[in-house]
Amino acid sequence: MMHLRILQAGPMVTVQDRGRRGLLHSGVSGSGPMDTPSFRIANALVGNGEDMAALEFASAGGTFEVTEPVRFAVTGGDVDIRIDGSAVRPWESHNLFPGSTLVVGGLRSAVWGYLAFSGGIDTPLILGSRATHLRTGLGGHEGRCLRASDLLPIGCLDPTPHLALTKLWRRSNRPINVVAGPQDDYFDASAWRTFLGSSFVVSSSRDRMAQMLDGPVISACRGNDIVSDGTTFGSIQVPGSGRPIVLMAERQTTGGYPKIATVASIDVPRLAQTPSGSAIRFRLISQAAAEALLVAERQALQDVMTGLSEKTEPMSVAQEVAL
Amino acid sequence: MAEMFPRIRACGDSMLSVELADYIDDDVNRRIIALFDELNRNPIAGIEEMAPTYRSLSVIYDPAITRGGALADVLQKRLQALSVTDTSSRCFSVPVVYGAAVGIDLDALARMKDMTTVELVNLHASAEYRVYMIGFAPGFAYLGGLPDALHTPRLAAPRQRIEASAIGIGGKQASINSVPGPSGWRFIGRTPVRLFDPYRTPPFLLKAGDRIRFRPIGEAEAARLDTMVAAGQTVLEPEAA
């Protein structure tokens, strides 16, 4: 069996797939990637099906080896990637041979990166998914972040052409779209003016579960306790501190703080990828508008993945510069 | 301003929340679970999954198949036509070792309530509880039916780690912990039963709507049950009706 050996791991490298589905009523949240489009593009670049697992890393990847030849691709942002010291580009596929060392360095202007291998990371399915849920130690590799000397199985896949992303996938500084509710009525007009009229700074208090925001305090005129109800990826809770918390991929499935609004699905990855210390603003849109944006974006992502261009010869940056 | 219920709220572009009330109530919860069961029996195209909570039903949908506005209309009609019967709910007898290392708050709680620990245990074990919802963490059971005399506010500062077997009290709620983690609830005992084990079939033992009674057991029986649980047995079976 083919294996991936971790020689050195970044601060938070986990196995992720599309996430767990159908277990919300049993208290299991989806987990899965923080930036789903980047994750899906990484899989597509190495010819993987969309149900296959890849590695997600925060800020920096690590050092890796394989026991048999595989293709790999790194996505999520601009990042320094080296095979035996030679630089190669993100957002396209490359070969990695046994005896070579792959180093995935730090992400620039992004937070979450994806490292996919052809054949996919083949750890066991737990409750129907390979996604790691760190807080409950579920799935992935022993339910935890990867560390040096871990050995992970890689599945087999017939070779497909080397692929590259020709156009950068979605980067913009427009405001983060939100849909009001479900507890928008816990906040009066003044709180809403603060929420929509101010900048918030993406705090360094963040993980796969939640993202804290710094900025003006938002007060709930009807209090900060509700009878616990369901949460979703992008729910914006406002606890008593008045400091908003955006729930992310590994959120708890229910919560007892009022939720002023929900980040539109298309902007959740953009928020996840916003570096700590950066300012964001929110813009209110209707549920119908957010739905239309999501449906359109899914099509755009599909187009990107089917339109990946074939690389005739995998080429390192050094080789390209030499030309 | 008085709230108008039921109401259906947007949670972004892929979820609706069907809210029947903003308080905890047995009948409200029965209606939520009845709606959940009804929609499982007669699915609506586009609904991907649902989660019942105390007083609302989270409905996840695919906006490429149905839009929130249209789905809300259909859900309103289903709600109007809903009949509530919960004859199908199961009843479980959950074995509990009261006190000891996991039940760290038992003695202090008894003093606070001006009871002996035996009186407190008997009161806790005399009630019938109802699983209002499974939420927060995998398999975590929120129970209603805690006797009034046992209602106790949460701790000001949560403890860092409480075991997966702990039997808790938080405000008017009772609980059985399913995963280890921090908690501000008070804990009066532990059960050998594992509500959640991803390697067992079934991984989850309880669902919303189930009924529960707690049965005090001694250390010897607990040790016997621990061994069975460690071997992957579920131990907990519904009582014969």
Side-chain angles (χ1 to χ4, degrees), chain A residues 23-183:
Chain A
L23 292 173
L24 218 50
H25 65 279
S26 291
V28 182
S29 70
S31 200
M34 295 288 280
D35 174 356
T36 298
S38 292
F39 168 83
R40 293 188 64 189
I41 292 169
N43 259 342
L45 284 168
V46 294
N48 284 350
E50 60 182 9
D51 286 332
M52 289 184 180
L55 300 184
E56 178 183 88
F57 58 93
S59 66
T63 309
F64 308 89
E65 272 180 0
V66 287
T67 57
E68 285 178 51
V70 289
R71 269 163 304 130
F72 76 90
V74 182
T75 66
D78 188 19
V79 55
D80 191 40
I81 309 163
R82 284 170 193 273
I83 304 171
D84 295 331
S86 295
V88 297
R89 294 174 185 281
W91 303 95
E92 59 184 56
S93 70
H94 309 278
N95 287 323
L96 183 62
F97 294 101
S100 284
T101 303
L102 166 66
V103 177
V104 180
L107 287 159
R108 287 182 282 270
S109 313
V111 178
W112 303 96
Y114 296 89
L115 171 56
F117 294 92
S118 53
I121 303 293
D122 200 23
T123 49
L125 289 167
I126 303 291
L127 302 176
S129 160
R130 295 183 174 86
T132 313
H133 193 275
L134 291 171
R135 205 167 58 89
T136 51
L138 211 59
H141 183 65
E142 300 173 358
R144 59 165 170 81
C145 292
L146 300 185
R147 52 188 182 227
S149 81
D150 282 342
L151 200 61
L152 270 62
I154 299 180
C156 277
L157 193 70
D158 291 334
T160 52
H162 276 285
L163 298 171
L165 186 71
T166 43
K167 211 176 78 189
L168 201 61
W169 173 251
R170 195 189 50 206
R171 284 284 177 263
S172 91
N173 292 317
R174 65 173 193 270
I176 301 283
N177 288 303
V178 297
V179 177
Q183 283 90 34

Side-chain angles (χ1 to χ4, degrees), chain A residues 26 184-185 254 265 291 298, chain B residues 7 9 13 61-62 68 136 139:
Chain A
S26 291
D184 47 303
D185 53 346
T254 57
S265 296
E291 289 170 331
R298 271 197 219 156
Chain B
R7 62 179 202 174
R9 313 292 290 174
D13 44 51
Y61 65 94
D62 180 350
F136 190 71

Side-chain angles (χ1 to χ4, degrees), chain B residues 16-175:
Chain B
L16 292 175
S17 181
V18 182
E19 298 184 350
L20 296 192
D22 56 5
Y23 51 86
I24 296 173
D25 177 84
D26 223 50
D27 287 334
V28 166
N29 186 252
R30 273 176 221 281
R31 280 179 67 77
I32 291 292
I33 293 166
L35 181 63
F36 175 64
D37 290 342
E38 211 293 306
L39 291 166
N40 275 320
R41 276 194 305 269
N42 300 299
I44 297 172
I47 293 183
E48 293 190 324
E49 63 175 311
M50 298 177 288
T53 75
Y54 285 114
R55 46 138 191 143
S56 68
L57 183 70
S58 300
V59 178
I60 316 290
Y61 65 94
D62 180 350
I65 298 173
T66 184
R67 294 297 168 101
L71 181 57
D73 291 343
V74 180
L75 288 169
Q76 282 284 9
K77 290 196 182 75
R78 288 289 181 96
L79 208 47
Q80 279 157 21
L82 190 69
S83 64
V84 181
T85 52
D86 64 353
T87 48
S88 65
S89 78
R90 306 172 298 174
C91 189
F92 294 91
S93 170
V94 177
V96 178
V97 183
Y98 285 92
V102 177
I104 35 183
D105 297 313
L106 178 65
D107 292 340
L109 203 59
R111 280 196 300 276
M112 193 194 295
K113 304 291 181 188
D114 217 7
M115 296 178 197
T116 65
T117 53
V118 172
E119 284 169 342
L120 195 154
V121 166
N122 287 340
L123 184 58
H124 186 258
S126 70
E128 182 176 279
Y129 299 81
R130 185 182 143 74
V131 179
Y132 275 138
M133 68 171 176
I134 305 289
F136 190 71
F140 185 92
Y142 286 90
L143 309 176
L146 184 71
D148 290 356
L150 295 180
H151 294 183
T152 314
R154 290 175 217 185
L155 298 171
R159 292 189 181 101
Q160 277 311 300
R161 187 184 161 99
I162 295 296
E163 297 306 315
S165 57
I167 303 295
I169 289 174
K172 299 176 181 177
Q173 302 302 298
S175 72

